[in-house]
Amino acid sequence: MRATLLILFLITTASADDWLFPRGDVQNTGVVKNKGPKKKPSIKWQREEKGGISTGAALSGGRLVFGVGEFVVACRRASGGAHIWDAKVKQQVVSWPLIREEICFFGGQDTVHYRIKMSTGGEETSPDAKGAIVAPPTVRDDHYFAGGTDGTFYAIGSATGRVLWSHKIGAIEHAAALDKKNVYVATTEGKLFAFNIKKGTQVWKYESLTPTVAAPIVIKGYVLLPVKHALIQVNPKSGEVVANHAAKGIAGAPAVKKTVVHYGTEGGEVVVFDLKSLKELARIKVGDEKISAPLILAGKALFGVSGTKLFCVDPKARKRIWEYEGPERFQPPIVAGGAVYVGAGNVFYCLK
């Protein structure tokens, strides 16, 4: 088996509770229609794996996919954690999986793009890369986008596995974001690129000169780039900066709904900020460790993780709805059907 990881999952129809993209959609907004637990959850089922859970999970058609230990991509039944298949790889899986039309794309520390069929766990051929694929992949239509530590950003045919175009832009750790025409990708040192999806031509480049902390986010009318201590608002047509908003201590990917941004800090706070009014709407203390990648769920609840603690808050009322303390640090969770699916240590949990 080859060594950079992509996985393809063939699925006929996606239910409303499927979780196909790491941040909920190809725009990386962190906004999902799924419903989480309304009160403090308990363990519905748990499964001990033979290695540590190394990624968040993808969910489609009642099946979960996530990285385990150094050499396995696991597929488990969402209803009870039963084994479906294990796909062997050469090095540890570190990027979040993505599921698209019966194929699951995945990335890891090795240097091979993997595409694995969900029905069998079998691998399909894809091109080699020259560095670890650590950024979560992004897929739309017949294009699969991936980048890694070799500094190359790839557009690959999702059905054929062939490189459609590529650009050498610098090390990439975060997922790309898409709109109808362009794909937006940021390097670790703070450069933001826009490429035409079909032609592969560079539309523009913006250099923030500040390290990125999360993937770019596409919202109607702008692209938001989270960098250390700031949220930079960029015009998607020209690449010109519209605004630069201070975000001291920002710890990871924000969740953005319309003009309202929700982000976690290194100090365990959730900050709610309105891009239109330029006002901070709320600052909610939920833990002592950093909060990364909060999610906005149906019912306007804000859900996230801080170390060994999962939490759900009402950002408008500025109050905690529930929190759940686990035995070990949690991987990024996903939420579907009123349940939370998350790994911690070498155990994968369904909490409901």
Side-chain angles (χ1 to χ4, degrees), residues 47 83 94 152 157 160 193-194 228 256 289 297 311:
R47 178 187 172 94
H83 176 276
V94 292
T152 305
T160 65
F193 292 83
K228 190 174 182 179
V256 185
E289 298 186 60
L297 306 178
F311 64 85

Side-chain angles (χ1 to χ4, degrees), residues 325-337:
E325 188 80 23
E328 297 188 63
R329 297 181 67 87
F330 287 113
Q331 289 288 339
I334 64 173
V335 183

Side-chain angles (χ1 to χ4, degrees), residues 47-56 66-70 92 307-308 326-332 342-349:
R47 178 187 172 94
E48 186 173 349
E49 299 289 348
K50 294 181 179 180
I53 311 300
S54 59
T55 69
F66 51 89
V68 175
E70 296 184 357
Q92 187 180 42
T308 60
E328 297 188 63
R329 297 181 67 87
F330 287 113
Q331 289 288 339
V342 64
N346 66 338
V347 178
F348 197 89
Y349 297 91

Side-chain angles (χ1 to χ4, degrees), residues 113-131:
H113 291 292
Y114 286 101
R115 300 182 304 151
I116 297 178
K117 293 181 179 179
M118 195 55 183
S119 56
T120 63
E123 180 192 346
E124 294 189 347
T125 302
S126 288
D128 290 352
K130 296 180 180 179

Side-chain angles (χ1 to χ4, degrees), residues 229-301:
H229 301 318
L231 294 167
I232 301 174
Q233 198 171 337
V234 179
N235 185 311
K237 294 181 179 180
S238 65
E240 296 179 349
V241 174
V242 177
N244 191 324
H245 311 288
K248 188 175 181 180
I250 183 171
V256 185
K257 189 170 184 180
K258 295 183 179 180
T259 64
V260 180
V261 179
H262 307 70
Y263 67 87
T265 71
E266 296 283 350
E269 294 177 308
V270 172
V271 178
V272 185
F273 182 82
D274 189 347
L275 295 171
K276 189 174 181 179
S277 66
L278 304 181
K279 292 183 178 180
E280 184 178 299
L281 304 180
R283 186 176 289 263
I284 309 160
K285 183 74 172 179
V286 293
D288 297 321
E289 298 186 60
K290 76 173 184 179
I291 297 168
S292 58
L295 301 163
I296 299 173
L297 306 178
K300 301 179 181 179

Side-chain angles (χ1 to χ4, degrees), residues 185-200:
V185 59
T187 65
T188 56
E189 66 268 27
K191 296 178 182 178
L192 177 63
F193 292 83
F195 297 108
N196 182 275
I197 293 173
K198 292 184 178 180
K199 297 178 181 179

Side-chain angles (χ1 to χ4, degrees), residues 52 64-65 67 110 209 306 313:
L64 294 157
V65 183
D110 48 12
L209 304 178
S306 176
V313 300

